[in-house]
Amino acid sequence: MPRRTAAVLAGAVALTAAVSAAASVAVPAAARPWPVPEPVMPAARQDQLTITVASSPDGVAAPHAAPRAVRGGGAPTRRTYTLDCHPAGGSHPDPPAACDAVDRAAQGPRDPWRPVPEDALCGQVYGGPATARVTGMWQGRRVDASFERTDGCEIARWNALVPALPDLGE
């Protein structure tokens, strides 16, 4: 009997080794007789931005609904927010709406992070002294973009990201 048990055990070990070796070989998807299930949860996106908005010493265009008393002669303002998307979060006043705005702008015809081209024809409209800088990661790309409101093209570029950037109510 001990010889027979040893033989059965040896056969089981050999079978286990053969199955393990076969499992370690990659089989092309087309050769598999069964469908491979999709992952339960997609890979997490790393969409995280830091948004810094500043206004000039005259207080015009203070970011994110500054009190009216600031307008017309206050100290410079500078506010920094974090914006995490997918899922929305961070210290931004309205993360879901801000994430939606950045998603829309990123799907539009222009890259929202690129500056206005030097040869662009822009209306000579001054949108105020506010500036913004956005840094971080969006859709797997590093972002480092500066925004200002010096002409019609720059104002349109800013407005494409409202409410991620503050609505300055032209």
Side-chain angles (χ1 to χ4, degrees):
M1 245 352 158
R3 218 183 251 181
R4 186 172 189 194
T5 303
V8 169
L9 286 175
V13 168
L15 181 61
T16 302
V19 168
S20 295
S24 67
V25 175
V27 178
R32 293 184 195 136
W34 61 88
V36 176
E38 292 295 318
V40 174
M41 179 178 255
R45 286 180 51 180
Q46 298 297 315
D47 294 340
Q48 299 174 325
L49 300 173
T50 300
I51 301 168
T52 301
V53 180
S55 70
S56 75
D58 69 359
V60 176
H64 294 289
R68 294 262 179 217
V70 173
R71 298 181 187 277
T77 60
R78 179 184 159 124
R79 296 189 185 179
T80 300
Y81 302 101
T82 57
L83 178 62
D84 302 326
C85 297
H86 311 108
S91 64
H92 190 280
D94 190 357
C99 290
D100 288 346
V102 177
D103 278 335
R104 270 192 316 276
Q107 293 171 1
R110 279 194 30 83
D111 181 347
W113 314 122
R114 289 201 174 170
V116 174
E118 293 280 331
D119 60 348
L121 299 174
C122 304
Q124 297 303 303
V125 178
Y126 183 61
T131 61
R133 181 160 183 216
V134 179
T135 59
M137 293 291 289
W138 192 263
Q139 296 179 340
R141 291 182 27 218
R142 185 160 303 283
V143 171
D144 188 353
S146 295
F147 295 83
E148 50 191 14
R149 300 176 58 81
T150 55
D151 60 38
C153 295
E154 293 288 352
I155 294 170
R157 185 171 168 249
W158 179 294
N159 288 346
L161 291 171
V162 168
L165 297 179
D167 184 357
L168 300 177
E170 305 170 354

